[in-house]
Amino acid sequence: MKFFGKSDIGMQRKINQDSFKCLSLWGGEASLLVVCDGMGGHKAGEIASSRAVSAFCDKMVASPCISETPAEQAYEIRHTMISAAKAANRIIYRMSNDFDELSGMGTTLVAGLIYQDQLFCVNIGDSRLYIMTELETRQITHDHSFVQYLLDYGKITPEEARIYPRKDVITQAVGINPNTEADFFCVRLNDWGSGYLLLCSDGLSNYVDSAAMTKVLYSAPKCEDGSTDLEFAADKLISLANAAGGADNITAVVAQF
C-alpha cells in the first residue's frame, strides 16, 4: 500500500503538537498509519502526542499477527490495537503525574491498520479516519467531543456544529485518566473497490469539509506508475486548511488502496 503523511504548524500556533507515523508491519504484509493531536502546556502536548505514537507503534511492532483463520486474525488484531492504545494511555498518564511541567497533558489517537484487504481502526478523541471513493466519502471514526455529543442527542444540527464555538472540547483523550477505552472499527476494503484513506487531526477537518478533501485526492496528479501523487495531495490539503485560517496544527496522512 502506498501512503504519505505530513504535519504543519499552521498559521497561528507557536509549536506543533501533532505527531504521526506510517510504517509497514509483518514483513510488509500490513501498513500502520497513526495520528495524534496533543494538548497541554508548553511543549507538553508535543511530548504527549509523540510518546503516544511511539508507544502505540512499539506495541504493534512487537505483536505479529500469527493466527491462521480470518476470524482469529480479526480478534487478535482488535486485541492488539486496543492493548496498544491502553499502553499509550498508561505511559502518558504516568508521565503527566510524574513531572509537574507535563501535568494534565494528553492527546487524541487515531490509527488504521490495513491487512489482507481489511481496515482495522481505533480512535480516542476527535482525530479522524475517512474512507474516500469516487462514489462515497465516509467518516469511519466517531468523534469523542462535546460537539459530537450535542449532535448525537439532537441538541444542534450538523450546520450548527460546523460553527459551534466549543469545537475543540473533547470528551475522551489518551493520558487524562488511568484507564481509557478506544473505539474499534473493522471495514472490508474490498466492498469499497478502490479509493483513499485519510487520517487527520482536527486542524484539517475543522477547516476543510470532506467533499473538498475528496476533490483534492481525486484531482491530484499521477506518478509515473499511475498511482496518485499523495505528497501533492497532502500538501494541498494542508494549504487549504491554512488558507481557511490555519488556527491549529494540521496533520494529514493519506493512503491509496
Side-chain angles (χ1 to χ4, degrees), residues 89-236:
N89 186 77
R90 286 193 299 270
I91 288 174
I92 305 307
Y93 182 77
R94 185 177 69 243
M95 292 176 65
S96 177
N97 281 273
D98 287 350
F99 301 97
D100 290 342
E101 65 273 22
L102 303 180
S103 178
M105 74 174 181
T107 180
T108 69
L109 184 148
V110 62
L113 177 74
I114 303 91
Y115 179 64
Q116 294 188 350
D117 296 318
Q118 290 198 86
L119 166 67
F120 304 91
C121 173
V122 293
N123 84 287
I124 300 171
D126 62 354
S127 294
R128 295 178 176 179
L129 186 151
Y130 295 89
I131 293 181
M132 299 175 169
T133 71
E134 290 184 300
L135 298 177
E136 181 182 2
T137 292
R138 185 184 301 175
Q139 180 183 335
I140 300 302
T141 53
H142 192 75
D143 293 351
H144 300 138
S145 68
F146 183 60
V147 167
Q148 188 63 54
Y149 166 82
L150 294 177
L151 277 169
D152 289 344
Y153 284 90
K155 303 293 185 181
I156 59 173
T157 66
E159 291 72 25
E160 291 171 329
R162 295 190 187 99
I163 58 172
Y164 195 78
R166 298 179 65 190
K167 290 185 71 171
D168 60 341
V169 177
I170 58 176
T171 57
Q172 200 170 330
V174 174
I176 299 301
N177 296 306
N179 297 297
T180 190
E181 293 296 328
D183 287 345
F184 177 82
F185 307 89
C186 181
V187 178
R188 287 175 49 87
L189 292 179
N190 282 344
D191 295 340
W192 290 77
S194 61
Y196 303 92
L197 305 177
L198 171 65
L199 288 76
C200 66
S201 60
D202 67 344
L204 178 62
S205 58
N206 280 346
Y207 294 91
V208 184
D209 64 34
S210 59
M213 294 179 195
T214 304
K215 184 177 180 180
V216 166
L217 290 168
Y218 277 94
S219 62
K222 301 297 182 183
C223 300
E224 291 184 1
D225 62 1
S227 63
T228 299
D229 187 339
L230 298 182
E231 181 175 359
F232 177 94
D235 284 339
K236 181 65 174 178

Side-chain angles (χ1 to χ4, degrees), residues 26 56 59-61 63-64 75-85:
W26 308 338
F56 186 90
K59 180 71 173 180
M60 295 300 299
V61 170
S63 303
Y75 176 83
E76 185 175 336
I77 290 171
R78 179 184 186 277
H79 174 76
T80 299
M81 294 186 77
I82 290 177
S83 295

